[in-house]
Amino acid sequence: MCGVIGIYGNDDVVYEIYEGLIALQHRGQDSAGIITYDEMFHLKKGMGLVNNVFKEKNIIRLKGKMGIGHVRYPTIGFGSIEDAQPFYINYPFGIAMAHNGNVTNYYQLREILEKKFYRKLTSYSDVEVILNIFGVALEKYLNKKNLFSSLVSATREVFKWVKGSYSVVGIIADYGIFAFRDPYGIKPLGFGKKNDNYAFASESVAFDMLDYRFVRDVYPGELIFIDKDKKVYSKRLRKQKHTYPCIFEYVYFARPDSVIDGIGVYEARLRLGEELGKECLKEDIKPDVIIPVPDTARAAAFSVSKILKVDCKEGLIKNRYIPRTFIMPTQREREIKVRQKLNPIKSEIENKKILVVDDSIVRGTTSREIVALLKKAKAKEVYLAITCPPLRFPCVYGIDMMTRGEFIAKKYSIKKIQEIIGADKLIYQTIEGLIKAVGGEKRNNFCTACFTGIYPTKIKKEEIEKLEKERIKTKNYFIKGGEDEGV
Ligand code: AMP
């Protein structure tokens, strides 16, 4: 779970990159980094939110018309400062890179790079592996008269070796900026333009903020290169029969004002509510009011309310200044934080049968706390409707759900989960409803691995287990209070 941006402008691009990262902040709050290039690379990265990492003095130092930026939520590595992106190498060119995604054969590639190519890495970040494979391949295929063809060959090598998901942005010092997206198109990446300035960004919302025109999505398996004269080269190097954008982006992760792969996130959430409403109609419940869990579930709750013909009200208020509960390392901390984060409006709750709409249940902590809050506020009955189906399988592509043990639905039946969270009824979206709602008329292929266990990149069971084991190790490091320094 990360956000990336890359810009080739006419002036110092750091300001736009900074603004773009602010628009993408929801994609990662753990670290942020920007690298720019004029006659040399200028890099600043640190732990924390974008506006904490970059002070005026850093911004002034980051000179250059080319730049890339990154916000991170770690899914590989220890989440320490060494793993903060972007990264750069100096041979065969100065190459800088940042990505969103997760490399599933990371450990194997790291070993190959170290043992066969004597590349010594500086971190446990998977983009450093992509960058070095790209660098090794670029050296092998270098044709100075036709740089784009060399970049094509290097990207082909990346596609051949690197498994998993990756939407990449990068700089070739003195020559231009580039972007590519893995052949399955699992993570989003858009392409934008303003006059003769070009940009790549994880979500279209970044282009809106910067007043760029959203040109199109980078196609799965495509490489785009903007050379130093602003000439645009593009080539689709791999064309899979089907591509598989992550469906969870629409359920929870992306901003509702973004459009990803031609599908508006807000519209998708409205449709999720329609499909969920149909599921609610099948149940023997008569709610007096529909209440969304802010903020993600709001759009879906409007639609549920329309289908059920029951009013939708704001009955839960969110304190915006509490950090995300999901990333709290211990269960106890997560429970306390949910209570600090959400507070009911008692007049909307007392003596009423409430249908609460939320986007997802992972461990069940949030749901259990919400039901308890509403019951304490004297709700007569509390039903809970979830806009996606039960989450059961680890995400190996970059959404932070990498260990099976985290999923309450892996261990228990829906009936039992209902009992554990204390709801009077628990209603989930169906997988058919999910795909129909998100895809609409436009597509029916998505990565649904976290719901179905079907992984588009055909990862082996042992590889998933290895990733799970490593994730548990790195999460424990956090609990013990891993390092937290900036540079
Ligand atoms: P839990 O309390 O563990 O069941 O987490 C569920 C809540 O966390 C949902 O209400 C979501 O809004 C949010 N959520 C779901 N998936 C993620 C994720 N991968 N990262 C952060 N938050 C998430």
Side-chain angles (χ1 to χ4, degrees):
M1 282 160 48
C2 295
V4 294
I5 183 161
I7 301 182
Y8 186 3
N10 282 323
D11 218 331
D12 288 339
V13 288
V14 63
Y15 302 96
E16 288 193 337
I17 293 188
Y18 177 88
E19 292 303 327
L21 289 182
I22 296 275
L24 298 174
Q25 184 77 82
H26 62 288
R27 299 188 67 84
Q29 299 89 41
D30 188 62
S31 76
I34 297 178
I35 190 164
T36 58
Y37 182 79
D38 55 3
E39 286 156 7
M40 59 188 262
F41 281 123
H42 306 280
L43 172 66
K44 166 71 189 167
K45 46 189 179 178
M47 304 299 288
L49 300 176
V50 175
N51 61 5
N52 294 333
V53 171
F54 299 98
K55 304 283 172 257
E56 204 181 338
K57 63 178 184 198
N58 315 121
I59 300 280
I60 291 168
R61 182 174 59 80
L62 294 168
K63 298 239 169 280
K65 295 178 187 175
M66 296 175 191
I68 58 176
H70 185 265
V71 285
R72 177 190 65 174
Y73 186 102
T75 45
I76 258 185
F78 290 91
S80 61
I81 185 62
E82 279 93 352
D83 297 343
Q85 301 189 31
F87 283 84
Y88 69 93
I89 52 174
N90 283 315
Y91 191 76
F93 294 93
I95 311 171
M97 200 179 261
H99 91 134
N100 169 214
N102 202 54
V103 174
T104 56
N105 57 342
Y106 168 78
Y107 296 98
Q108 185 198 345
L109 294 176
R110 190 184 166 99
E111 203 177 316
I112 294 174
L113 277 169
E114 291 196 336
K115 297 222 167 108
K116 194 160 168 222
F117 296 99
Y118 305 104
R119 294 252 167 173
K120 290 291 162 214
L121 305 186
T122 61
S123 75
Y124 283 95
S125 165
D126 46 355
V127 80
E128 211 191 359
V129 156
I130 304 178
L131 172 61
N132 277 278
I133 289 176
F134 188 78
V136 168
L138 198 54
E139 182 187 357
K140 183 168 159 198
Y141 294 106
L142 191 57
N143 171 358
K144 283 218 161 159
K145 287 203 190 100
N146 188 346
L147 183 59
F148 184 61
S149 84
S150 321
L151 295 175
V152 163
S153 305
T155 310
R156 274 194 213 285
E157 287 290 293
V158 170
F159 288 170
K160 185 168 142 198
W161 288 101
V162 182
K163 309 283 175 237
S165 70
Y166 39 95
S167 282
V168 171
V169 292
I171 302 173
I172 308 280
D174 295 322
Y175 289 93
I177 68 166
F178 65 94
F180 58 81
R181 195 171 169 196
D182 73 75
Y184 294 98
I186 296 172
K187 291 280 123 193
L189 190 62
F191 179 39
K193 187 170 192 258
K194 178 164 74 178
N195 307 320
D196 68 336
N197 297 353
Y198 289 94
F200 300 103
S202 291
E203 285 184 39
S204 62
V205 65
F207 302 126
D208 296 343
M209 295 299 139
L210 300 173
D211 208 20
Y212 275 59
R213 178 171 63 83
F214 175 71
V215 177
R216 62 173 174 83
D217 295 283
V218 176
Y219 300 127
E222 183 185 31
L223 165 71
I224 301 183
F225 175 54
I226 322 286
D227 79 2
K228 62 174 183 299
D229 303 317
K230 302 265 180 83
K231 188 162 174 222
V232 180
Y233 298 79
S234 71
K235 189 165 179 155
R236 199 156 177 191
L237 313 181
R238 278 260 198 105
K239 211 164 174 184
Q240 302 293 140
K241 189 158 167 239
H242 298 298
T243 54
Y244 299 92
C246 164
I247 206 159
F248 203 68
E249 290 273 348
Y250 299 92
V251 171
Y252 170 74
F253 199 44
R255 262 175 64 153
D257 42 347
S258 282
V259 179
I260 297 176
D261 288 313
I263 299 170
V265 176
Y266 185 73
E267 284 79 18
R269 287 184 190 159
L270 285 175
R271 292 193 297 266
L272 281 169
E274 284 167 23
E275 294 303 317
L276 184 61
K278 291 180 201 161
E279 292 306 308
C280 294
L281 283 178
K282 293 181 194 160
E283 301 291 337
D284 182 23
I285 53 170
K286 296 245 167 323
D288 301 310
V289 65
I290 315 278
I291 289 184
V293 178
D295 295 307
T296 318
R298 220 174 253 133
F302 289 149
S303 300
V304 172
S305 144
K306 227 163 86 186
I307 300 273
L308 266 61
K309 301 194 177 62
V310 173
D311 280 353
C312 180
K313 296 270 185 71
E314 296 282 355
L316 285 166
I317 299 302
K318 185 171 163 182
N319 181 340
R320 291 190 201 145
Y321 303 99
I322 303 293
R324 283 173 46 188
T325 46
F326 196 84
I327 60 173
M328 298 289 156
T330 65
Q331 182 61 18
R332 177 93 192 108
E333 273 181 277
R334 282 193 291 265
E335 284 169 10
I336 293 168
K337 290 290 173 201
V338 173
R339 257 173 279 154
Q340 287 179 345
K341 193 157 123 182
L342 291 168
N343 194 41
I345 298 180
K346 297 196 181 60
S347 57
E348 294 297 338
I349 311 292
E350 199 169 342
N351 262 328
K352 289 186 184 154
K353 291 187 213 153
I354 317 275
L355 174 57
V356 183
V357 180
D358 200 0
D359 56 80
S360 56
I361 298 180
V362 183
R363 308 173 183 94
T365 320
T366 312
S367 312
R368 203 175 52 223
E369 292 300 321
I370 288 172
V371 173
L373 275 178
L374 295 174
K375 294 235 158 153
K376 202 168 150 216
K378 301 206 175 79
K380 228 196 273 171
E381 296 204 337
V382 179
Y383 319 120
L384 180 62
I386 305 296
T387 71
C388 69
L391 284 158
R392 294 201 171 103
F393 300 91
C395 175
V396 296
Y397 302 122
I399 298 281
D400 186 32
M401 303 183 289
M402 282 177 75
T403 56
R404 242 166 291 204
E406 283 179 303
F407 300 116
I408 192 168
K410 188 77 197 171
K411 287 185 246 162
Y412 303 111
S413 67
I414 295 179
K415 192 97 202 95
K416 183 75 188 165
I417 301 170
Q418 179 181 310
E419 203 182 302
I420 292 171
I421 63 178
D424 295 291
K425 181 65 83 185
L426 173 62
I427 305 152
Y428 273 107
Q429 180 81 267
T430 62
I431 187 77
E432 295 77 20
L434 170 74
I435 294 171
K436 186 173 162 208
V438 175
E441 306 284 296
K442 294 210 168 96
R443 66 155 61 229
N444 53 19
N445 288 311
F446 290 96
C447 175
T448 57
C450 51
F451 305 110
T452 57
I454 301 167
Y455 294 87
T457 60
K458 315 223 166 23
I459 183 171
K460 290 193 197 107
K461 199 164 153 253
E462 309 83 73
E463 289 172 318
I464 299 176
E465 280 165 8
K466 165 104 180 134
L467 285 166
E468 274 187 280
K469 258 197 216 135
E470 293 297 332
R471 189 72 192 128
I472 291 167
K473 218 160 79 190
T474 52
K475 280 217 161 174
N476 284 340
Y477 178 84
F478 267 121
I479 294 172
K480 287 186 195 129
E483 114 187 50
D484 198 31
E485 297 300 317
V487 287

